[in-house]
Amino acid sequence: MATTQIFQETLFASSLMISVLKFDELGLEIARIAYPAALALTADPIASLVDTAFIGQIGPVELAAVGVSIALFNQVSRIAIFPLVSITTSFVAEEDAYSSQQNSVQDNKECTEEAGINNTKEEAQELIPENNKDSISDESKTSSSIFNVSQSPIRKRIIPSASSALIIGSILGLLQAVFLISAAKPLLSFMGVKHDSPMLRPAQRYLSLRSLGAPAVLLSLATQGVFRGFKDTTTPLYATVIGDATNIILDPIFIFVFRLGVTGAAIAHVMSQYLMCGILLWKLMDQVDIFNLSTKHLQLCRFMKNGLLLLMRVIAVTFCVTLSASLAAREGSTSMAAFQVCLQVWLATSLLADGFAVAGQAILASAFANKDYKRAAATASRVLQLGLVLGFLLAAILGAALHFGARVFTKDDKVLHLISIGLPFVAGTQPINALAFVFDGVNFGASDFGYAAASLVVVAIVSILCLLFLSSTLGFIGLWFGLTIYMSLRAAVGFWRIGTGTGPWSFLRS
């Protein structure tokens, strides 16, 4: 009996795997959006890993200093731009779906009118004498050719949310740059880098220089949100690869050839960000009339209302990661250096699952706009299953790779020892992280911004208490226990929303 049950469960798991990896219409659309998005999302953390690897060759103090600066810059950037990007993707997808519906209706109307005109021409043709038909036919061809030429210019899309996102992104980028440069020292002090720490000078120098690229970073991310709403993740991928490849090429030149150290790493990163921003804006202006700035259509109030909800959520989310980095820094440069390596690998690999989150959000936003609830349910189920499969795959790869690859980042034996302690957590939490990221995309696709904010505030409060208690009692390993609890709670609240069929998912109960 037990053998039969095991056999049936094995067959069920096999059929589920086949269903998850099935390349039907939905599977192909998810793949077309998710894979380029995943590569683009992981490109910047990989570039940061390259910075980490190069700077790690200078020394553990510089490695720890850059680690604190990168953590601080990334968290402030997420607070500034993540709500905007998430809202932009949903709003643009909705507006694009409505626009497609209107264009479809307009095209059908034009086809009907054209058919009526053609019928009238045919009736008139029957009344024309045979000897005049040839000359009239030539004239009609000429006029038709001229008519087609006059209609050849392609109309750009008018998407108010795209213009709104770029305006807000530009303002936020400038504000972030001013804030980080003027408050670099107190912010680093909050992160545990005190005035007598050897990490202070290189950390402050790196943070101040890298902050000059904040306007380009935020504008680039806002533009990527627009492209995601169009279900185009290939264009952002190309721009990101070009920008990060430039960063990787310039890093060793500025760090070692020009002997600029951490200053060179920051300069290389800023140059790559402005290059990426220029490429994205150039490609976007080919498709969208971004200068359609009528305040009536920009929907800035709608952006601000939902943006404030997600701002609460992002502050809660980023505070947990920032707090963990701060607690690691307070234990010294060795602990911070090891934590930086583990955290960068943890985030870079986990963000692969965010590709499925982006795909789910874009498809779900269109499905909800069209009231296609059957497609919404199928999309949510498929991206969550794919995220879980990816999580287990990443856990297996990281478990083997990081054990042997840690020396790429540092040669310090004490740092390597702490990395080996964090390795089981970095690898083992990948399935949980994947589900947490994908659930975010699913809830954003349903425009469930209120629940996303409220649930994560509760999760953050519980997680912060766990981090403070576990780090004080268990030290470095306690930080990773705390982060594991944090990601598990994020996945749990996402599952609860859909599992109970509440909010926008109430249709699942009918």
Side-chain angles (χ1 to χ4, degrees), residues 157-284:
R157 304 183 199 183
I158 298 177
I159 306 292
S161 294
S163 301
S164 301
L166 296 180
I167 292 172
I168 298 173
S170 301
I171 295 171
L172 289 176
L174 292 171
L175 291 176
Q176 180 183 334
V178 173
F179 172 69
L180 286 177
I181 293 171
S182 60
K185 196 169 182 178
L187 287 171
L188 288 170
S189 178
F190 171 77
M191 292 289 290
V193 183
K194 302 302 181 182
H195 68 278
D196 57 346
S197 172
M199 293 187 287
L200 180 59
R201 286 191 64 188
Q204 187 175 357
R205 191 184 320 129
Y206 184 88
L207 180 61
S208 298
L209 286 171
R210 185 159 174 175
S211 298
L212 295 174
V217 172
L218 270 67
L219 196 53
S220 295
L221 290 172
T223 310
Q224 288 185 44
V226 177
F227 279 111
R228 291 177 194 173
F230 293 148
K231 301 178 184 178
D232 175 11
T233 53
T234 304
T235 300
L237 172 61
Y238 289 151
T240 303
V241 168
I242 293 171
D244 286 335
T246 303
N247 183 33
I248 292 170
I249 293 169
L250 293 178
D251 256 341
I253 297 174
F254 288 148
I255 294 173
F256 302 116
V257 177
F258 295 158
R259 301 191 180 192
L260 295 175
V262 296
T263 301
I267 293 173
H269 199 88
V270 169
M271 292 178 66
S272 68
Q273 290 297 331
Y274 276 99
L275 174 63
M276 189 189 312
C277 179
I279 294 171
L280 286 169
L281 287 175
W282 171 53
K283 297 299 292 183
L284 183 64

Side-chain angles (χ1 to χ4, degrees), residues 358-376:
V358 170
Q361 181 181 2
I363 298 172
L364 281 166
S366 297
F368 275 103
N370 294 324
K371 293 182 170 52
D372 189 351
Y373 298 123
K374 183 177 179 181
R375 184 174 180 80

Side-chain angles (χ1 to χ4, degrees), residues 137-147:
S137 177
D138 292 339
E139 291 175 5
S140 65
K141 287 180 182 178
T142 303
S143 63
S144 176
S145 175
I146 295 171
F147 180 72

Side-chain angles (χ1 to χ4, degrees), residues 211-396:
S211 298
L212 295 174
V217 172
L218 270 67
L219 196 53
S220 295
L221 290 172
T223 310
Q224 288 185 44
V226 177
F227 279 111
R228 291 177 194 173
F230 293 148
K231 301 178 184 178
D232 175 11
T233 53
T234 304
T235 300
L237 172 61
Y238 289 151
T240 303
V241 168
I242 293 171
D244 286 335
T246 303
N247 183 33
I248 292 170
I249 293 169
L250 293 178
D251 256 341
I253 297 174
F254 288 148
I255 294 173
F256 302 116
V257 177
F258 295 158
R259 301 191 180 192
L260 295 175
V262 296
T263 301
I267 293 173
H269 199 88
V270 169
M271 292 178 66
S272 68
Q273 290 297 331
Y274 276 99
L275 174 63
M276 189 189 312
C277 179
I279 294 171
L280 286 169
L281 287 175
W282 171 53
K283 297 299 292 183
L284 183 64
M285 285 190 290
D286 284 344
Q287 302 181 35
V288 180
D289 183 7
I290 62 174
F291 299 107
N292 183 37
L293 301 178
S294 171
T295 54
K296 178 182 177 181
H297 298 101
L298 284 179
Q299 304 179 8
L300 294 177
C301 291
R302 188 185 179 203
F303 265 86
M304 296 302 295
K305 176 185 175 182
N306 291 285
L308 288 174
L309 287 174
L310 284 190
L311 180 60
M312 292 169 52
R313 179 188 182 279
V314 172
I315 291 173
V317 169
T318 55
F319 190 81
C320 290
V321 178
T322 305
L323 176 64
S324 63
S326 175
L327 292 172
R330 293 173 193 276
E331 295 185 15
S333 59
T334 300
S335 178
M336 184 58 211
F339 185 81
Q340 163 66 6
V341 172
C342 290
L343 184 66
Q344 288 298 321
V345 174
W346 192 62
L347 292 176
T349 52
S350 298
L351 285 173
L352 285 169
D354 224 4
F356 292 123
V358 170
Q361 181 181 2
I363 298 172
L364 281 166
S366 297
F368 275 103
N370 294 324
K371 293 182 170 52
D372 189 351
Y373 298 123
K374 183 177 179 181
R375 184 174 180 80
T379 301
S381 176
R382 184 71 67 87
V383 293
L384 287 169
Q385 292 169 1
L386 286 167
L388 189 60
V389 170
L390 176 63
F392 281 113
L393 181 62
L394 288 173

